[in-house]
């Protein structure tokens, strides 16, 4: 069965400053790669606080909003777009529950994080937020369209 890139689902995944500083980039990228998802955009950026507030606008009423935005803008973030069938929902599964105390072993947060304020990674929680977050973090020309060799064996 042939899968066409144009129809493929995309999600926004970011390794937060704690994940980058702890040297977990390769470990995390490798989990998405090995699963069979395809990397279509990647860059290392230090977001401004204003940008962090835009990214987390849904949480602006929450008590931890200010600290969360300070934290996201405190250092380099690895911003990525991953593509594949079901990548939004399954990406969240790979990531694990928001609170690492509750994430299952085998998940990224379960294996690699301990507290909710330092849970190392972000992933879009649905198709609408995925679209919004990809547009916020990336210009259209930063999304690379290519056929990966693996694709014909994954699908
Ligand atoms: P994310 O958006 O980062 O993937 O996380 P999520 O959907 O699993 O969780 P969400 O409720 O959207 O919260 C976003 C981020 O806010 C931080 N947080 N801190 N101190 C707290 O009680 C608290 N609760 C959430 C976490 O970094 C969470 O990932």
């Amino acid at each position: 069965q042939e899968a066409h890139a144009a129809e493929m689902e995309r999600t926004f995944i970011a390794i937060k400053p704690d994940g980058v500083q702890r040297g977990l980039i390769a470990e995390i990228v490798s989990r998405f790669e090995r699963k069979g998802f395809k990397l279509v955009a990647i860059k290392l950026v230090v977001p401004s606080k204003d940008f962090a507030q835009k990214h987390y606008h849904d949480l602006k009423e929450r008590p931890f909003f200010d600290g969360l935005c300070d934290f996201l803008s405190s250092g380099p973030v690895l911003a990525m777009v991953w593509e594949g069938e079901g990548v939004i929902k399954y990406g969240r599964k790979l990531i694990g529950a928001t609170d690492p105390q509750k994430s299952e072993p085998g998940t990224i947060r379960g294996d690699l994080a301990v507290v909710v304020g330092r849970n190392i990674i972000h992933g879009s929680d649905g198709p609408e937020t995925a679209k919004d977050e990809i547009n916020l973090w990336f210009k259209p020309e930063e999304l690379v369209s290519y056929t990966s060799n693996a694709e014909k064996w994954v699908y």
Side-chain angles (χ1 to χ4, degrees), residues 77-146:
V77 171
L78 192 75
M80 296 175 280
V81 178
W82 286 89
E83 184 180 279
E85 262 183 50
V87 69
I88 300 174
K89 221 172 175 183
Y90 207 91
R92 300 273 295 180
K93 236 173 177 171
L94 288 177
I95 289 170
T98 305
D99 180 355
Q101 294 286 333
K102 296 182 182 132
S103 355
E104 295 297 325
T107 65
I108 291 166
R109 287 170 176 158
D111 289 347
L112 305 171
V114 182
V115 296
V116 71
R118 295 292 182 271
N119 63 1
I120 69 174
I121 183 166
H122 165 82
S124 306
D125 62 9
E128 280 311 307
T129 42
K131 198 149 62 71
D132 292 349
E133 290 171 358
I134 291 168
N135 289 337
L136 176 66
W137 287 80
F138 289 97
K139 301 181 192 124
E141 63 268 29
E142 291 176 314
L143 304 176
V144 181
S145 167
Y146 66 104

Side-chain angles (χ1 to χ4, degrees), residues 4 6 9 18 34 37 43 46 53 69 71 123 144 147:
H4 296 284
E9 186 174 306
D18 49 346
R34 287 184 299 168
F37 293 138
K43 64 180 172 187
V46 182
Q53 286 167 340
C69 294
F71 180 63
V144 181
T147 307

Side-chain angles (χ1 to χ4, degrees), residues 49-61:
K49 180 148 184 199
D50 182 66
F51 189 92
Q53 286 167 340
K54 280 191 183 116
H55 172 76
Y56 280 127
H57 68 274
D58 281 349
L59 300 173
K60 62 174 175 288
E61 308 302 336

